[in-house]
């Protein structure tokens, strides 16, 4: 956590903090931690943020992503799930609004504006015309193409976040979401992620969807 905190403060100083002393990095960190560190964040917590930053680090120097504002991407990663209420459908918009609120005098900076747009793009993970948003979305969906044990842990953590939802309703809703993803021509929008993860992601999603449709007894 200390390494993540130090990275955030460095990022904030390079981007938002350049607007002046009125931008309080400690207050921004506290606002983030009140979300990511909350009880019930079984998947959408600091671990998710750290995973996306690590994933970004692994590809930021690839030729496909040359010319992107990688600080804006990191800013979007750090804020994109800061607000996460399983009972609402506007979490991404509210997370982008949190960034704006914390940015203070830097609200008009291109880095903040672009990060906000990337955060909003993760709401539906739909095809984007913006290369940076495409990478942001692919990073957010990278877990779908993870090794089966990692994917299973992710799916279990998501279920715990929705523990209040009755099992039958959960199965119907979650399976429907997975089927809609599987109906897309491509899950990933960048060549690199498409080549590396598309096949594995489809296998993972199909296996989970089949299990959900089968029901607790395992019979479809």
């Amino acid at each position: 956590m200390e390494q993540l905190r130090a990275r955030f403060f460095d990022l904030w100083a390079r981007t938002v903090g350049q607007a002046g002393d009125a931008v309080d990095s400690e207050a921004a960190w506290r606002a983030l931690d009140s979300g990511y560190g909350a009880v019930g964040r079984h998947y959408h917590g600091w671990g998710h943020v750290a995973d996306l930053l690590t994933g970004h680090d692994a590809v930021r120097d690839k030729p496909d992503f040359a010319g992107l504002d990688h600080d804006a991407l990191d800013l979007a990663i750090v804020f994109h799930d800061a607000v996460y209420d399983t009972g609402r459908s506007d979490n991404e918009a509210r997370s982008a609004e949190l960034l704006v609120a914390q940015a203070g005098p830097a609200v008009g900076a291109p880095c903040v504006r672009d990060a906000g747009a990337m955060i909003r793009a993760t709401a539906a993970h739909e095809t984007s015309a913006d290369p940076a948003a495409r990478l942001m979305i692919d990073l957010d969906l990278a877990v779908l193409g993870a090794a089966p044990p990692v994917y299973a842990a992710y799916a279990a953590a998501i279920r715990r976040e929705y523990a209040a939802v009755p099992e039958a309703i959960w199965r119907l809703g979650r399976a429907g979401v997975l089927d809609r993803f599987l109906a897309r021509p491509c899950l990933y929008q960048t060549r690199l992620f498409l080549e590396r993860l598309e096949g594995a992601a489809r296998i993972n999603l199909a296996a989970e969807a089949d299990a959900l449709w089968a029901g607790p007894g395992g019979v479809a």
Side-chain angles (χ1 to χ4, degrees), residues 122-158:
T122 64
H125 298 102
E126 293 180 346
T127 303
S128 173
D130 175 41
R134 289 199 293 270
L135 176 53
M136 174 68 197
I137 292 168
D138 281 3
L139 288 166
D140 200 29
L141 295 181
V143 68
L144 302 184
V150 176
Y151 181 87
Y154 145 76
I158 293 294

Side-chain angles (χ1 to χ4, degrees), residues 166-180 212-213:
E167 182 67 12
I169 295 174
W170 166 257
R171 285 179 174 272
L172 182 64
R174 174 73 174 174
V177 169
L178 299 180
D179 282 351
R180 286 191 291 276
L212 290 166
W213 286 122

Side-chain angles (χ1 to χ4, degrees), residues 59-71:
V59 303
R60 68 170 67 227
D61 293 331
K62 300 296 184 182
D64 286 5
F65 308 124
L68 299 184
D69 185 342
H70 291 285
D71 276 349

Side-chain angles (χ1 to χ4, degrees), residues 98-111:
L98 179 65
L99 169 59
V100 168
Q102 295 300 319
V107 65
C111 184

